Amino acid sequence: MAAFASTASALASTIFYSPSLNPITGQASLFSPSRIRSSPCVFRGIQSRSSRRFSQNVTADRFNSFSCTCLSAVSTSTIDYEFTDGGKEVELRLRLKTGEILSPKDISVDADGTSLAVKEKRNGLLITLLETNQLFEKIMPSETIWYIDEDQLVVNMKKVDGELKWPDIVESWESLTAGMMQLLKGASIYIVGDSTEINQKVSRELAVGLGYSPLDSKELLESFSKQTIDSWILAEGPDSVAEAESSVLESLSSHVRTVVSTLGGKHGAAGRADQWRHLYSGFTVWVSQTEATDEESAKEEARRNKQEREIGYSNADVVVKLQGWDPTHAKSVAQASLSALKQLIISDKGLPGNKSLYIRLGCRGDWPNIKPPGWDPSSDTGAHPQFT
């Protein structure tokens, strides 16, 4: 199974997932920074700033520290490192082998906008200390410096977005679930797509990871009607179910910090373009199966899907393309969803605030061009200025 994810607006981020390779093996950059090898500086006896140490054997609160082995996208021969977010810069400290005196020529630090490779020459061999193509966010490669401080190799990197706090050096499930809290600002997430089962499993993983409340429209509808969705469709038809789910979504639209799993198929409200009024209250992720075999093909398919406005799912904020489905990999799909949402919100940090405004004005269906207070969609006769 593979998963591809794209943002709805500009398809700015693309993620390729395959369990036979790495959980995350690629992501498109918003720009293409030049690749550099940073110049070494050597200092001795420098007092380091307050930092956090990451180790495979450390169990800690997810908001404070993380394991550096959480993703196989990170290749490292040592699992002991310290990480510090200093605001506009981040600092990585890797412990070198005790008892050996190293010179700058024994160290190689190769960085670009989203990648970092740190290697050490030992006994004539080049040993990889840490290698990742999935830094938590973008850095300015030309501003990267490194130095040796006693028995530690210190790598200092300047962030492109100085306001974004990095929970860890790499983008992982743990760092995404912690880091997304500052971006979502309490906004809810809706999982939409043709498969109710996939929507349910992905939404549950997201709810657990984010600490959000999990809500399932299928369970709510069946509990209310005292019958299964299948029997409801047989008795009253798919339109009746879609209308009922739309009412459920209306009642949930004012909720915050929830992950909502929606019905899939023709009987689901999300599949109908005229039933999105209340789905716009949160961030929507369209989980869609595809026969695409590579990142570019999936990205092009997602672009075509977004242009098919008669499909309700085309209104989604981000699209996650799955090549096949395996329930055991639901967390990886959830991770791809968070990564795509992260790129979307970073590209427009006003989105969570606009979602909140949209809710306060009554979820009138005027997303993303929110009209002034008092606007009545039933009497709309022309263009109106956007209200922010």
Side-chain angles (χ1 to χ4, degrees):
M1 183 186 74
F4 312 82
S6 300
T7 62
S9 57
L11 298 175
S13 68
T14 302
I15 300 169
F16 174 60
Y17 162 71
S18 174
S20 61
L21 300 172
N22 294 327
I24 299 294
T25 60
Q27 181 174 5
S29 300
L30 297 178
F31 59 91
S32 298
S34 57
R35 195 166 184 82
I36 61 99
R37 178 159 294 172
S38 60
S39 302
C41 302
V42 181
F43 300 92
R44 299 291 180 184
I46 296 178
Q47 290 293 324
S48 63
R49 294 176 294 173
S50 176
S51 60
R52 297 167 183 163
R53 174 167 294 177
F54 300 80
S55 172
Q56 187 179 26
N57 297 321
V58 172
T59 302
D61 184 274
R62 66 186 176 90
F63 294 100
N64 294 323
S65 63
F66 309 90
S67 167
C68 69
T69 59
C70 48
L71 260 189
S72 57
V74 180
S75 172
T76 175
S77 61
T78 173
I79 58 174
D80 187 18
Y81 69 81
E82 297 175 12
F83 171 75
T84 304
D85 185 318
K88 296 185 180 299
E89 299 176 346
V90 290
E91 182 180 274
L92 174 70
R93 286 177 170 263
L94 288 164
R95 190 167 300 279
L96 301 171
K97 189 173 180 180
T98 305
E100 290 190 1
I101 300 177
L102 296 175
S103 67
K105 67 180 181 180
D106 296 320
I107 301 296
S108 168
V109 177
D110 197 14
D112 72 8
T114 56
S115 305
L116 177 67
V118 182
K119 299 180 181 181
E120 168 193 354
K121 184 181 291 185
R122 188 186 303 163
N123 298 325
L125 298 176
L126 198 59
I127 307 298
T128 299
L129 299 180
L130 184 145
E131 184 171 14
T132 177
N133 63 353
Q134 202 73 19
L135 293 173
F136 186 76
E137 247 306 300
K138 298 178 181 65
I139 62 170
M140 299 179 185
S142 61
E143 301 292 326
T144 300
I145 63 170
W146 63 267
Y147 56 88
I148 299 173
D149 178 12
E150 299 297 341
D151 61 345
Q152 291 184 323
L153 173 65
V154 183
V155 184
N156 185 278
M157 295 161 282
K158 190 170 184 178
K159 298 186 289 187
V160 170
D161 185 349
E163 296 180 356
L164 181 68
K165 187 171 180 60
W166 289 28
D168 193 3
I169 189 68
V170 297
E171 182 183 276
S172 65
W173 174 249
E174 286 79 3
S175 63
L176 278 171
T177 51
M180 282 299 292
M181 304 301 287
Q182 63 186 303
L183 295 173
L184 287 170
K185 300 185 184 303
S188 293
I189 299 174
Y190 294 85
I191 307 300
V192 305
D194 277 327
S195 171
T196 301
E197 177 199 354
I198 294 176
N199 297 346
Q200 289 174 322
K201 292 187 178 299
V202 173
S203 67
R204 287 169 187 164
E205 292 289 351
L206 284 171
V208 171
L210 293 170
Y212 273 27
S213 298
L215 296 172
D216 188 328
S217 65
K218 180 176 183 289
E219 292 180 357
L220 292 172
L221 287 168
E222 290 183 339
S223 176
F224 169 77
S225 65
K226 308 301 182 185
Q227 61 181 328
T228 65
I229 296 297
D230 290 339
S231 62
W232 191 342
I233 294 173
L234 289 175
E236 302 182 39
D239 291 348
S240 174
V241 176
E243 288 294 334
E245 185 184 25
S246 184
S247 296
V248 169
L249 294 174
E250 179 179 2
S251 68
L252 299 179
S253 61
S254 61
H255 290 216
V256 295
R257 297 181 180 85
T258 62
V259 181
V260 181
S261 169
T262 64
L263 288 175
K266 296 180 179 179
H267 54 276
R272 305 180 178 216
D274 60 348
Q275 299 286 346
W276 271 69
R277 176 177 168 183
H278 296 98
L279 285 166
Y280 289 134
S281 64
F283 287 99
T284 48
V285 179
W286 176 12
V287 181
S288 172
Q289 291 183 287
T290 179
E291 294 183 358
T293 57
D294 60 78
E295 181 180 324
E296 287 305 316
S297 298
K299 185 175 180 179
E300 178 58 33
E301 182 180 285
R303 184 180 291 108
R304 291 195 305 269
N305 291 157
K306 291 295 296 178
Q307 295 172 349
E308 298 172 357
R309 305 306 298 178
E310 69 276 7
I311 301 177
Y313 304 134
S314 65
N315 293 317
D317 293 304
V318 299
V319 182
V320 176
K321 289 290 184 180
L322 302 182
Q323 187 184 59
W325 167 245
D326 184 340
T328 62
H329 295 124
K331 180 181 285 189
S332 295
V333 180
Q335 180 174 332
S337 302
L338 285 181
S339 184
L341 284 173
K342 175 170 73 95
Q343 292 300 322
L344 174 70
I345 298 174
I346 286 175
S347 70
D348 184 355
K349 291 186 178 179
L351 281 173
N354 288 340
K355 293 285 187 182
S356 178
L357 175 63
Y358 179 79
I359 295 171
R360 295 199 305 272
L361 291 175
C363 296
R364 303 170 300 179
D366 52 341
W367 182 266
N369 300 314
I370 302 175
K371 306 300 190 294
W375 175 74
D376 182 1
S378 63
S379 61
D380 188 28
T381 56
H384 295 265
Q386 181 176 352
F387 175 74
T388 57

